[in-house]
Amino acid sequence: MKRQYRGLPLWLPSLLSRTAFYFFLMSLTLFLLYVLGNFQYFSDENLRLLLDIMELYFYSFLILSIGTITVHIVFHNTEKGRHTIRFYVRTSLRMLLIVILYFIIKLLDALFSG
């Protein structure tokens, strides 16, 4: 059943949440492709391109996650306490993982640039 706010069905929280999850999975996929590319001897230009695309996905995920949390706070349903706590913990852990991966990628980018 769709969540409702004052009797109106809400599509924005689910759209933001699913889009943020997509960017999260794509960020992890690109990070794994980068790690595998190092062992498969990808060219430096391809690895640099992966770093740039990964950074774009990181920023997109962080913006959408903050938007998802904001929309969730605005349209908070008080009857679903356990679901809300799980949502905040899950989103916060994803954001923490992406921030850690972002710093790792920035460190590798600094090593590549000289």
Side-chain angles (χ1 to χ4, degrees):
M1 183 172 162
K2 285 193 171 193
R3 296 183 57 191
Q4 293 192 355
Y5 179 73
R6 296 185 184 181
L8 299 172
L10 296 177
W11 53 269
L12 186 60
S14 64
L15 178 70
L16 285 176
S17 178
R18 289 177 185 175
T19 308
F21 185 64
Y22 168 75
F23 283 127
F24 175 73
L25 289 179
M26 286 303 296
S27 298
L28 290 181
T29 303
L30 285 172
F31 183 74
L32 290 175
L33 187 61
Y34 175 79
V35 170
L36 289 174
N38 280 328
F39 291 114
Q40 295 291 326
Y41 302 111
F42 282 9
S43 67
D44 289 339
E45 294 85 20
N46 288 340
L47 291 176
R48 187 69 131 174
L49 179 66
L50 281 175
L51 288 177
D52 292 340
I53 294 172
M54 203 179 323
E55 189 172 332
L56 179 69
Y57 275 115
F58 288 164
Y59 289 140
S60 301
F61 170 75
L62 289 176
I63 290 170
L64 282 173
S65 292
I66 292 170
T68 302
I69 289 174
T70 305
V71 167
H72 199 280
I73 288 172
V74 169
F75 298 120
H76 179 67
N77 191 355
T78 57
E79 293 95 30
K80 296 186 177 184
R82 187 179 306 151
H83 173 69
T84 303
I85 292 171
R86 217 177 319 150
F87 169 77
Y88 289 130
V89 168
R90 185 175 54 220
T91 305
S92 300
L93 287 176
R94 286 179 189 161
M95 288 175 67
L96 179 67
L97 178 64
I98 289 298
V99 167
I100 290 170
L101 287 178
Y102 176 77
F103 284 124
I104 290 172
I105 292 303
K106 280 302 195 183
L107 178 69
L108 291 173
D109 191 29
L111 286 173
F112 280 146
S113 62

